């Protein structure tokens, strides 16, 4: 597991299966599972992981089948992004209907956890998650990956709770631009490592 303990708590926008949404969180956990992991109660599994890691209070839990020991880091200005990148089952976001709809599998998964140095208003925080996702996809396309990600990718953007909140989080904004570059670097390096792991 990768664990970030947040003291003081951070303001978070996350798409993770545990603690997702917008709110104050005290920790973020990215837990590695086996490629054939099929526990239908993902939240319960992550709560057990959090307890084992000594985390209490509200937090964000993420799962991946990618090796967390190979997590990558990108930094730009005061923005830092971490990524675990698994690419065994990439997919296009706009896949044809024939691809079907099923419960996302965790054989891989790209998880991004990014720390910003200043608060954002709600809309800008959501926009920052979009920016991180766009940067992730840019890195994958540049790496020659046949997909925009995997079916179970997650993003978690964290900011301080106190201070004047900035109004923009897009890729050309004061915080969004370094966020995009940091995420791009982390996912780019993670994609390279994933390619080396491929059989």
């Amino acid at each position: 597991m990768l664990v970030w303990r947040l003291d003081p708590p951070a303001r978070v926008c996350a798409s993770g299966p545990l603690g997702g949404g917008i709110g104050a969180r005290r920790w973020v956990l990215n837990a590695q599972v086996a490629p054939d992991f099929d526990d239908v109660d993902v939240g319960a599994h992550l709560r057990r992981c959090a307890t084992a890691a000594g985390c209490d209070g509200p937090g964000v839990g993420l799962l991946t089948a990618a090796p967390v020991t190979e997590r990558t880091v990108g930094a730009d200005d005061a923005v830092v992004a971490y990524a675990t990148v698994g690419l065994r089952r990439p997919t296009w976001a706009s896949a044809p209907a024939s691809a079907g709809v099923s419960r996302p599998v965790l054989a891989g998964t790209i998880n991004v956890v990014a720390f910003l140095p200043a608060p954002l208003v709600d809309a800008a925080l959501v926009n920052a998650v979009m920016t991180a996702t766009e940067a992730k996809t840019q890195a994958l396309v540049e790496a020659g990956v046949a997909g925009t990600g995997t079916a179970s990718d997650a993003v978690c953007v964290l900011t301080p709770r106190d201070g004047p909140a900035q109004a923009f989080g897009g890729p050309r904004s004061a915080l969004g631009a370094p966020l995009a570059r940091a995420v791009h670097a982390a996912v780019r390096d993670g994609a390279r490592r994933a390619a080396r792991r491929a059989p």
Side-chain angles (χ1 to χ4, degrees):
M1 290 182 284
L2 300 175
V3 181
W4 295 267
R5 292 176 174 83
L6 310 171
D7 186 15
R11 189 160 178 269
V12 170
C13 183
S15 64
L18 178 66
I22 296 178
R25 304 291 186 267
R26 296 179 58 182
W27 49 268
V28 177
L29 181 147
N30 189 7
Q32 182 179 338
V33 294
D36 59 353
F37 176 84
D38 63 356
D39 189 336
V40 294
D41 195 342
V42 174
H45 178 83
L46 282 165
R47 283 188 289 274
R48 289 192 295 271
C49 291
T51 299
C55 299
D56 60 0
V60 174
L62 313 173
L63 288 176
T64 182
V68 295
T69 55
E70 293 193 18
R71 68 104 173 90
T72 51
V73 183
D76 193 284
D77 269 350
V79 176
V80 180
Y82 301 86
T84 51
V85 179
L87 291 173
R88 280 183 290 176
R89 294 185 184 173
T91 186
W92 295 104
S94 181
S98 60
V101 177
S102 62
R103 187 169 66 87
V105 293
L106 292 162
T109 301
I110 302 167
N111 288 336
V112 172
V113 177
F115 292 83
L116 303 184
L120 296 169
V121 301
D122 282 0
L125 191 53
V126 173
N127 201 2
V129 171
M130 293 171 56
T131 295
T133 303
E134 290 172 4
K136 174 202 76 173
T137 300
Q138 179 182 341
L140 296 179
V141 169
E142 291 173 356
V145 174
T148 50
T150 80
S152 52
D153 292 355
V155 177
C156 178
V157 174
L158 303 95
T159 75
R161 292 190 300 166
D162 299 324
Q166 298 194 24
F168 303 102
R172 298 283 66 83
S173 66
L175 287 178
L179 170 64
R181 290 188 291 267
V183 171
H184 178 271
V187 175
R188 176 198 62 207
D189 293 348
R192 290 172 179 164
R193 294 188 183 195
R196 289 197 294 269
R197 292 194 304 268

